[in-house]
């Protein structure tokens, strides 16, 4: 079963069209294995992206280097998944 | 396993087997109102089931609702289960729903992507697409919401099999999509088609593949506004509404662009909540509130369909 330990979900706030385009550049970098939960659309609309642990530093440096704001929406995806599974099995039990 | 639909737990996520077991429970408890149709089999051979809610007649005008076409959007399948129970509870109680079902049939496909859904439970909770293999690629699956024959392959989908929005080799290449296409064409009398996704709190109507306004845009916008107002009235969940391309982005080969092109005027796509910071991992405690608020919007669309025959 795929493990998402260390994966984070970043909520990116692109302030203008240029920043939206910058984030779209990230989308094309397949080696980063980014999973856009909410894709880049228009300035002001939240962009949510799941970032595998190995890509985290590179992505954060890229965003900071271009002055693109972001917050960490989910600190550790696997922790939430574990909670979800526990809840399912607890109720089933 | 729940012994009845009354003891089934709607406030937790369930496996494919549990949801399919629920379908049988509901049919057994309401044989006069509910029947289970198999409209096809998935790529990996799983049955694709649709619940039919009907109070009689033959080939009546109908409303189609589907959930779970993107398998990781678990709150949608869970909401679909809740809708199914709600319909059986409210028929004969809620005058609006009773009037709807006395004239129209309702078709509800809860697990529209069974292979992907099973995979989210067994191997990868984040899986979105189908599980079909693409010749010449090691990547698996097609985005079933880019595979429809409406603007297929235009900008707003990817031709890369490794992309989450890969449109597939040709329109309707995915049996999960083709099964619905065949059902809709054979039925021929579907008047509203509502495809439910999550997340980002949106209610959208065609088009996604072109900036051109749909001929019925004004009416669809009005219905969407009323539906969103009803939804928000329950828990204050904020929704935006509009055409797909204006509300989020250009998306080609989408379900409702195809259904609209088939003459199904009331074609809508929902993106249900996450109001906070969970995204696709919405806690199970939010399943019922999400389903309840969405139901209010569905009732508005269904009632409008009933009152505006075409």
């Amino acid at each position: 079963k795929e493990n998402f330990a260390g994966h984070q979900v970043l909520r990116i706030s692109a302030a203008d069209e240029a920043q939206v385009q910058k984030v779209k550049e990230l989308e094309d970098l397949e080696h980063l294995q980014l999973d856009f939960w909410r894709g880049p659309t228009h300035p002001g609309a939240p962009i949510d992206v799941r970032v595998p642990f190995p890509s985290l530093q590179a992505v954060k440096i890229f965003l900071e280097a271009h002055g693109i704001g972001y917050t960490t929406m989910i600190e550790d995806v696997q922790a939430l998944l574990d909670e979800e599974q526990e809840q399912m099995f607890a109720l089933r039990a | 396993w729940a012994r009845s639909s009354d003891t089934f737990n709607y406030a937790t996520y369930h496996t494919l087997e549990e949801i399919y077991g629920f379908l049988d429970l509901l049919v057994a408890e309401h044989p006069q109102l509910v029947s289970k149709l198999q409209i096809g089999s998935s790529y990996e051979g799983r049955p694709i089931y649709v619940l039919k809610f009907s109070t009689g007649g033959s080939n009546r005008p109908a409303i189609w609702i589907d959930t779970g076409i993107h398998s990781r959007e678990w709150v949608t399948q869970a909401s679909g289960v809740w809708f199914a129970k709600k319909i059986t509870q409210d028929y004969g109680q809620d005058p609006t729903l009773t009037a709807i079902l006395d004239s129209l049939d309702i078709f509800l496909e809860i697990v529209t992507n069974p292979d992907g859904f099973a995979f989210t439970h067994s191997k990868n909770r984040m899986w979105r697409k189908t599980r079909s293999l693409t010749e010449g690629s090691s990547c698996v699956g097609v985005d079933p919401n880019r595979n429809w024959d409406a603007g297929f392959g235009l900008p707003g989908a990817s031709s890369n099999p490794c992309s989450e929005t890969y449109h597939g080799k040709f329109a309707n290449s995915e049996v999960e999509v083709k099964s619905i296409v065949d059902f809709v064409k054979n039925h021929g009398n579907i008047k509203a088609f509502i495809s439910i996704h999550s997340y980002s709190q949106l209610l959208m109507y065609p088009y996604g593949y072109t900036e051109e306004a749909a001929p019925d845009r004004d009416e669809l916008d009005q219905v969407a506004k009323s539906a969103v107002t009803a939804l928000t009235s329950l828990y204050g969940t904020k929704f935006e509404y509009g055409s797909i391309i204006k509300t989020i982005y250009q998306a080609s080969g989408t379900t409702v662009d195809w259904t609209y092109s088939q003459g199904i005027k009331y074609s809508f796509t929902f993106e249900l909540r996450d109001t906070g910071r969970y995204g696709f991992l919405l806690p199970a405690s939010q399943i019922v509130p999400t389903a309840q608020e969405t139901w209010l919007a569905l009732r508005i669309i269904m009632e409008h369909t009933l009152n505006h025959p075409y």
Side-chain angles (χ1 to χ4, degrees):
Chain A
K1 194 160 186 174
E2 190 93 12
N3 188 289
F4 297 93
H7 292 220
Q8 291 189 341
V9 177
L10 304 183
R11 173 155 287 177
I12 300 171
S13 314
D16 53 37
E17 194 49 45
Q19 289 195 348
V20 172
Q21 290 312 316
K22 270 294 164 208
V23 176
K24 284 186 176 175
E25 284 174 27
L26 271 181
E27 211 171 5
D28 298 333
L29 302 177
E30 274 191 32
H31 67 282
L32 291 176
Q33 295 281 300
L34 300 182
D35 175 15
F36 279 84
W37 285 12
R38 291 179 73 166
T41 55
H42 39 260
I47 303 167
D48 297 344
V49 56
R50 174 173 62 83
V51 184
F53 180 70
S55 305
L56 259 180
Q57 191 179 16
V59 169
K60 289 181 175 179
I61 288 172
F62 176 91
L63 294 172
E64 287 156 15
H66 292 94
I68 299 173
Y70 70 88
T71 58
T72 303
M73 180 171 132
I74 297 178
E75 287 288 343
D76 185 305
V77 171
Q78 190 57 44
L80 269 190
L81 290 178
D82 293 343
E83 270 177 48
E84 186 178 74
Q85 289 294 304
E86 279 158 31
Q87 194 268 353
M88 278 175 73
F89 290 120
L91 278 169
R92 195 170 297 150
Chain B
W1 291 68
R3 270 179 292 282
S4 89
S5 65
D6 287 334
T7 60
F8 189 87
N9 190 326
Y10 298 91
T12 186
Y13 292 112
H14 290 277
T15 63
L16 181 67
E17 294 71 23
E18 288 168 338
I19 293 176
Y20 278 12
F22 166 81
L23 304 185
D24 292 332
L25 275 180
L26 212 62
V27 170
E29 292 166 5
H30 306 277
Q32 301 310 314
L33 177 61
V34 196
S35 53
K36 181 179 84 173
L37 316 174
Q38 180 172 350
I39 65 168
S41 295
S42 68
Y43 181 85
E44 291 176 339
R46 292 180 175 88
I48 301 174
Y49 291 128
V50 173
L51 287 180
K52 176 181 181 182
F53 301 84
S54 179
T55 57
S58 161
N59 201 247
R60 276 180 170 172
I63 292 162
W64 170 282
I65 301 169
D66 67 60
T67 55
I69 196 166
H70 284 149
S71 35
R72 65 181 173 184
E73 299 165 5
W74 277 16
V75 71
T76 69
Q77 297 96 334
S79 297
V81 167
W82 189 91
F83 298 150
K85 176 65 176 173
K86 182 67 172 172
I87 292 170
T88 62
Q89 283 174 321
D90 280 12
Y91 179 66
Q93 307 301 319
D94 170 0
T96 300
L97 182 70
T98 304
I100 290 165
L101 273 172
D102 282 348
S103 299
L104 308 176
D105 290 343
I106 297 175
F107 292 100
L108 173 59
E109 183 177 4
I110 294 173
V111 188
T112 306
N113 176 4
D115 295 348
F117 187 60
F119 197 70
T120 60
H121 281 274
S122 63
K123 292 285 187 309
N124 182 342
R125 171 70 176 79
M126 292 289 109
W127 193 260
R128 159 190 169 102
K129 303 191 285 184
T130 63
R131 290 292 302 162
S132 60
L133 301 182
T134 296
E135 195 182 325
S137 171
S138 61
C139 290
V140 174
V142 169
D143 182 344
N145 196 32
R146 297 294 186 282
N147 187 241
W148 300 73
D149 196 7
F152 176 82
L154 292 182
S158 170
S159 57
N160 174 358
C162 299
S163 165
E164 290 291 1
T165 57
Y166 175 48
H167 51 52
K169 283 202 183 306
F170 52 88
N172 302 335
S173 62
E174 302 311 286
V175 64
E176 294 82 1
V177 169
K178 185 70 167 54
S179 301
I180 300 173
V181 167
D182 293 343
F183 180 84
V184 167
K185 286 185 171 179
N186 294 334
H187 186 280
N189 203 10
I190 291 179
K191 298 297 180 184
F193 195 107
I194 303 157
S195 192
I196 300 181
H197 293 248
S198 80
Y199 65 100
S200 47
Q201 290 127 245
L202 302 170
L203 175 51
M204 298 175 284
Y205 48 79
Y207 293 107
Y209 71 88
T210 174
E211 294 275 3
E212 176 195 333
D216 302 294
R217 193 202 71 96
D218 292 346
E219 182 184 3
L220 295 175
D221 200 71
Q222 194 52 51
V223 174
K225 181 179 180 183
S226 304
V228 163
T229 302
L231 185 153
T232 304
S233 70
L234 192 57
Y235 297 113
T237 305
K238 300 252 179 299
F239 263 62
E240 290 178 24
Y241 61 91
S243 69
I244 296 169
I245 195 165
K246 288 201 181 332
T247 309
I248 35 174
Y249 40 49
Q250 185 170 21
S252 61
T254 65
T255 309
V256 291
D257 277 359
W258 179 78
T259 58
Y260 189 73
S261 76
Q262 297 303 301
I264 302 175
K265 184 196 308 188
Y266 303 119
S267 291
F268 291 96
T269 288
F270 277 89
E271 289 280 355
L272 304 188
R273 63 163 85 170
D274 164 41
T275 52
R277 45 173 286 278
Y278 298 103
F280 298 120
L281 304 183
L282 196 67
S285 57
Q286 292 198 39
I287 293 171
V288 173
T290 301
Q292 288 171 328
E293 65 188 11
T294 308
W295 177 253
L296 298 181
L298 289 173
R299 269 171 95 251
I300 294 289
I301 295 170
M302 295 195 288
E303 189 180 22
H304 185 90
T305 304
L306 173 67
N307 297 333
H308 297 80
Y310 62 94

